[in-house]
Amino acid sequence: MNLGWLRFWGWMLAYMALALLPMAVALSGETPAARARLKETGAMLGFLGLGMLAAQSVVSGRQRWFARGLGQDDLLQFHRRAGLFAWALVLAHPLTMFAADPALLAYLDPRAGLLRALSLWAVLLAASLLVATSLWRERFGLSYERWRLLHGALALCVVGLGLGHALLVDHYTQPLWKKGALAAAVGAALWLALETRLLRPWRLRRRPWRVAAVEPEPGDAVTLRLSPEGHDGLRFAPGQFAWLTLGETPWRLQQHPFSIASAAGERELRFTIKALGDFTGGLRDLAPGARAFVEGPYGVFTWVPGRSPEGAVFVAGGVGITPFLSMLRTAAARGVREPLWLVYANLNLDEAIAREELDALAARLPLTVIHVLEAPPEDWTGETGHVDAALLERCLPGEVARMHCYLCGPEPMADAVEPALLARGVPARNLYSERFDMV
């Protein structure tokens, strides 16, 4: 078993331990007399739902000590699916309890207990709204910044009220030590969420950056050049990303993740960003000299020049070229000689970011650049359409199965390219994939 799989299973065991911790506390020591099986099942579903919701803050909190070695795309997909399952547990808990003992429906009646009823309704509604706004943010008309604030507030509300409910019911948590242990376990998760939102910006304020230049790029994109102010900059591996905040303070809602496009070792940071929303659409008008804050680096979508003599394959769609610009610029700076292939898909050639630079890099490196255009000009003689198995068969070398392969692009491209490369014999451990959308 290689190191990547060991890290994965270590991460899974750590997550399961966190999710099961409230249940473990409830079942520790002396336990009350057993009730009907359905009722006990409902109680355990509640503890498991609380544990999974609390563990969500660890998964999404960008904790460097947690999930080391897993990519952001993997974490995001896991966070979404675990959140849906936790929501199902939150709903299944009362439904199972009511089915086992209909008299418990009185808990939802404000006339029988106003505070208890309001807290239970609040948990159910907040959890449902949390899931709905995450799945259908654009349908709700929520900007990323407003959704991020709402998401954090609802998550804290659900976990906080769920903890209060578990402590007040008093069946499994009657001993004072159990109340303390449960509060400490769930409270630690809440603390991590607050650390991400409050304490981390406090540390970032000591490492500001200044916007040195705003350069227009093809395809309605811009490149931001940032210079460190009073510090040595940021050490990162080619392909990693960072969270960028623009403004005089790091305590802002508009914190967004972008791939770093600079060569590793450069003091200046470059972010090439496509206009896809309110925040990114306004970057073209950003004035040089503006202050910025950078949190990172993050991600394991990295390629180290010189690591694999067989070479590497990069497949990019549109602005997905940005992490590969960092990799290729680093390769040029270090003078690597391993063979490289870049398959770069765009609507047309005018939208290809850094096209001239890629030509120059191909002259300096053993790099083959293959442009794929969806709407090519009449005199175009290169590849057209979409990146699929047939195109990869034509364009990539026969020894691709021994190479490290990297893919960054929209989800439909990833869904087409990943199985095609696996079918060519590329081991899953050598296939790295990142998708665009964060939420």
PDB file of all heavy atoms in Angstrom, residues 313-330:
ATOM      1  N   VAL A 313       1.790  14.721 -18.264  1.00  0.00           N
ATOM      2  CA  VAL A 313       0.733  15.177 -19.170  1.00  0.00           C
ATOM      3  C   VAL A 313      -0.154  16.150 -18.416  1.00  0.00           C
ATOM      4  O   VAL A 313      -0.590  15.870 -17.293  1.00  0.00           O
ATOM      5  CB  VAL A 313      -0.105  13.983 -19.686  1.00  0.00           C
ATOM      6  CG1 VAL A 313      -1.342  14.476 -20.435  1.00  0.00           C
ATOM      7  CG2 VAL A 313       0.729  13.087 -20.565  1.00  0.00           C
ATOM      8  N   PHE A 314      -0.425  17.301 -19.022  1.00  0.00           N
ATOM      9  CA  PHE A 314      -1.312  18.306 -18.454  1.00  0.00           C
ATOM     10  C   PHE A 314      -2.504  18.490 -19.389  1.00  0.00           C
ATOM     11  O   PHE A 314      -2.313  18.706 -20.591  1.00  0.00           O
ATOM     12  CB  PHE A 314      -0.602  19.646 -18.277  1.00  0.00           C
ATOM     13  CG  PHE A 314       0.717  19.558 -17.534  1.00  0.00           C
ATOM     14  CD1 PHE A 314       1.848  20.230 -17.994  1.00  0.00           C
ATOM     15  CD2 PHE A 314       0.820  18.812 -16.379  1.00  0.00           C
ATOM     16  CE1 PHE A 314       3.048  20.160 -17.314  1.00  0.00           C
ATOM     17  CE2 PHE A 314       2.017  18.720 -15.689  1.00  0.00           C
ATOM     18  CZ  PHE A 314       3.134  19.401 -16.156  1.00  0.00           C
ATOM     19  N   VAL A 315      -3.705  18.429 -18.851  1.00  0.00           N
ATOM     20  CA  VAL A 315      -4.923  18.656 -19.636  1.00  0.00           C
ATOM     21  C   VAL A 315      -5.679  19.807 -18.981  1.00  0.00           C
ATOM     22  O   VAL A 315      -6.069  19.708 -17.814  1.00  0.00           O
ATOM     23  CB  VAL A 315      -5.819  17.407 -19.706  1.00  0.00           C
ATOM     24  CG1 VAL A 315      -7.051  17.678 -20.569  1.00  0.00           C
ATOM     25  CG2 VAL A 315      -5.039  16.215 -20.236  1.00  0.00           C
ATOM     26  N   ALA A 316      -5.858  20.911 -19.727  1.00  0.00           N
ATOM     27  CA  ALA A 316      -6.464  22.125 -19.169  1.00  0.00           C
ATOM     28  C   ALA A 316      -7.658  22.546 -20.000  1.00  0.00           C
ATOM     29  O   ALA A 316      -7.664  22.408 -21.226  1.00  0.00           O
ATOM     30  CB  ALA A 316      -5.438  23.261 -19.128  1.00  0.00           C
ATOM     31  N   GLY A 317      -8.644  23.076 -19.320  1.00  0.00           N
ATOM     32  CA  GLY A 317      -9.793  23.657 -19.999  1.00  0.00           C
ATOM     33  C   GLY A 317      -9.950  25.103 -19.590  1.00  0.00           C
ATOM     34  O   GLY A 317     -10.152  25.407 -18.417  1.00  0.00           O
ATOM     35  N   GLY A 318      -9.810  26.033 -20.532  1.00  0.00           N
ATOM     36  CA  GLY A 318      -9.990  27.451 -20.240  1.00  0.00           C
ATOM     37  C   GLY A 318      -9.045  27.950 -19.183  1.00  0.00           C
ATOM     38  O   GLY A 318      -7.813  27.773 -19.266  1.00  0.00           O
ATOM     39  N   VAL A 319      -9.616  28.570 -18.140  1.00  0.00           N
ATOM     40  CA  VAL A 319      -8.786  29.146 -17.083  1.00  0.00           C
ATOM     41  C   VAL A 319      -8.137  28.068 -16.226  1.00  0.00           C
ATOM     42  O   VAL A 319      -7.298  28.372 -15.368  1.00  0.00           O
ATOM     43  CB  VAL A 319      -9.640  30.099 -16.218  1.00  0.00           C
ATOM     44  CG1 VAL A 319     -10.558  29.335 -15.278  1.00  0.00           C
ATOM     45  CG2 VAL A 319      -8.773  31.089 -15.445  1.00  0.00           C
ATOM     46  N   GLY A 320      -8.471  26.808 -16.486  1.00  0.00           N
ATOM     47  CA  GLY A 320      -7.778  25.714 -15.813  1.00  0.00           C
ATOM     48  C   GLY A 320      -6.309  25.617 -16.171  1.00  0.00           C
ATOM     49  O   GLY A 320      -5.578  24.789 -15.615  1.00  0.00           O
ATOM     50  N   ILE A 321      -5.842  26.463 -17.062  1.00  0.00           N
ATOM     51  CA  ILE A 321      -4.430  26.505 -17.419  1.00  0.00           C
ATOM     52  C   ILE A 321      -3.574  27.067 -16.288  1.00  0.00           C
ATOM     53  O   ILE A 321      -2.345  26.853 -16.259  1.00  0.00           O
ATOM     54  CB  ILE A 321      -4.229  27.358 -18.701  1.00  0.00           C
ATOM     55  CG1 ILE A 321      -2.804  27.225 -19.259  1.00  0.00           C
ATOM     56  CG2 ILE A 321      -4.546  28.828 -18.423  1.00  0.00           C
ATOM     57  CD1 ILE A 321      -2.464  25.861 -19.759  1.00  0.00           C
ATOM     58  N   THR A 322      -4.162  27.794 -15.333  1.00  0.00           N
ATOM     59  CA  THR A 322      -3.366  28.550 -14.355  1.00  0.00           C
ATOM     60  C   THR A 322      -2.416  27.688 -13.522  1.00  0.00           C
ATOM     61  O   THR A 322      -1.247  28.056 -13.367  1.00  0.00           O
ATOM     62  CB  THR A 322      -4.273  29.397 -13.450  1.00  0.00           C
ATOM     63  OG1 THR A 322      -5.304  28.572 -12.897  1.00  0.00           O
ATOM     64  CG2 THR A 322      -4.904  30.530 -14.236  1.00  0.00           C
ATOM     65  N   PRO A 323      -2.840  26.552 -12.947  1.00  0.00           N
ATOM     66  CA  PRO A 323      -1.835  25.781 -12.195  1.00  0.00           C
ATOM     67  C   PRO A 323      -0.736  25.240 -13.090  1.00  0.00           C
ATOM     68  O   PRO A 323       0.418  25.095 -12.655  1.00  0.00           O
ATOM     69  CB  PRO A 323      -2.659  24.645 -11.572  1.00  0.00           C
ATOM     70  CG  PRO A 323      -3.881  24.539 -12.404  1.00  0.00           C
ATOM     71  CD  PRO A 323      -4.173  25.929 -12.877  1.00  0.00           C
ATOM     72  N   PHE A 324      -1.039  24.980 -14.358  1.00  0.00           N
ATOM     73  CA  PHE A 324      -0.031  24.472 -15.284  1.00  0.00           C
ATOM     74  C   PHE A 324       0.947  25.566 -15.690  1.00  0.00           C
ATOM     75  O   PHE A 324       2.110  25.287 -16.002  1.00  0.00           O
ATOM     76  CB  PHE A 324      -0.694  23.862 -16.514  1.00  0.00           C
ATOM     77  CG  PHE A 324      -1.628  22.740 -16.170  1.00  0.00           C
ATOM     78  CD1 PHE A 324      -2.930  22.724 -16.644  1.00  0.00           C
ATOM     79  CD2 PHE A 324      -1.224  21.711 -15.340  1.00  0.00           C
ATOM     80  CE1 PHE A 324      -3.799  21.698 -16.325  1.00  0.00           C
ATOM     81  CE2 PHE A 324      -2.082  20.663 -15.011  1.00  0.00           C
ATOM     82  CZ  PHE A 324      -3.371  20.665 -15.507  1.00  0.00           C
ATOM     83  N   LEU A 325       0.491  26.816 -15.692  1.00  0.00           N
ATOM     84  CA  LEU A 325       1.436  27.918 -15.927  1.00  0.00           C
ATOM     85  C   LEU A 325       2.494  27.941 -14.833  1.00  0.00           C
ATOM     86  O   LEU A 325       3.674  28.153 -15.102  1.00  0.00           O
ATOM     87  CB  LEU A 325       0.688  29.248 -15.983  1.00  0.00           C
ATOM     88  CG  LEU A 325      -0.175  29.492 -17.218  1.00  0.00           C
ATOM     89  CD1 LEU A 325      -0.920  30.820 -17.094  1.00  0.00           C
ATOM     90  CD2 LEU A 325       0.669  29.479 -18.488  1.00  0.00           C
ATOM     91  N   SER A 326       2.065  27.721 -13.584  1.00  0.00           N
ATOM     92  CA  SER A 326       3.031  27.659 -12.492  1.00  0.00           C
ATOM     93  C   SER A 326       3.999  26.504 -12.687  1.00  0.00           C
ATOM     94  O   SER A 326       5.218  26.649 -12.506  1.00  0.00           O
ATOM     95  CB  SER A 326       2.294  27.511 -11.155  1.00  0.00           C
ATOM     96  OG  SER A 326       3.205  27.377 -10.090  1.00  0.00           O
ATOM     97  N   MET A 327       3.477  25.344 -13.080  1.00  0.00           N
ATOM     98  CA  MET A 327       4.333  24.176 -13.275  1.00  0.00           C
ATOM     99  C   MET A 327       5.325  24.392 -14.415  1.00  0.00           C
ATOM    100  O   MET A 327       6.520  24.092 -14.284  1.00  0.00           O
ATOM    101  CB  MET A 327       3.456  22.952 -13.566  1.00  0.00           C
ATOM    102  CG  MET A 327       2.529  22.560 -12.436  1.00  0.00           C
ATOM    103  SD  MET A 327       1.430  21.190 -12.912  1.00  0.00           S
ATOM    104  CE  MET A 327       0.343  21.101 -11.482  1.00  0.00           C
ATOM    105  N   LEU A 328       4.842  24.917 -15.545  1.00  0.00           N
ATOM    106  CA  LEU A 328       5.710  25.108 -16.707  1.00  0.00           C
ATOM    107  C   LEU A 328       6.714  26.233 -16.472  1.00  0.00           C
ATOM    108  O   LEU A 328       7.871  26.144 -16.915  1.00  0.00           O
ATOM    109  CB  LEU A 328       4.869  25.396 -17.944  1.00  0.00           C
ATOM    110  CG  LEU A 328       3.994  24.225 -18.413  1.00  0.00           C
ATOM    111  CD1 LEU A 328       3.076  24.668 -19.543  1.00  0.00           C
ATOM    112  CD2 LEU A 328       4.860  23.055 -18.853  1.00  0.00           C
ATOM    113  N   ARG A 329       6.301  27.301 -15.822  1.00  0.00           N
ATOM    114  CA  ARG A 329       7.238  28.376 -15.507  1.00  0.00           C
ATOM    115  C   ARG A 329       8.327  27.880 -14.560  1.00  0.00           C
ATOM    116  O   ARG A 329       9.498  28.267 -14.673  1.00  0.00           O
ATOM    117  CB  ARG A 329       6.487  29.561 -14.903  1.00  0.00           C
ATOM    118  CG  ARG A 329       5.670  30.339 -15.927  1.00  0.00           C
ATOM    119  CD  ARG A 329       4.650  31.253 -15.281  1.00  0.00           C
ATOM    120  NE  ARG A 329       3.955  32.064 -16.294  1.00  0.00           N
ATOM    121  CZ  ARG A 329       2.823  32.739 -16.089  1.00  0.00           C
ATOM    122  NH1 ARG A 329       2.246  32.688 -14.889  1.00  0.00           N
ATOM    123  NH2 ARG A 329       2.280  33.446 -17.058  1.00  0.00           N
ATOM    124  N   THR A 330       7.941  27.031 -13.604  1.00  0.00           N
ATOM    125  CA  THR A 330       8.934  26.450 -12.696  1.00  0.00           C
ATOM    126  C   THR A 330       9.879  25.530 -13.457  1.00  0.00           C
ATOM    127  O   THR A 330      11.097  25.544 -13.225  1.00  0.00           O
ATOM    128  CB  THR A 330       8.225  25.672 -11.573  1.00  0.00           C
ATOM    129  OG1 THR A 330       7.321  26.537 -10.893  1.00  0.00           O
ATOM    130  CG2 THR A 330       9.234  25.118 -10.582  1.00  0.00           C
TER     131      THR A 330
END
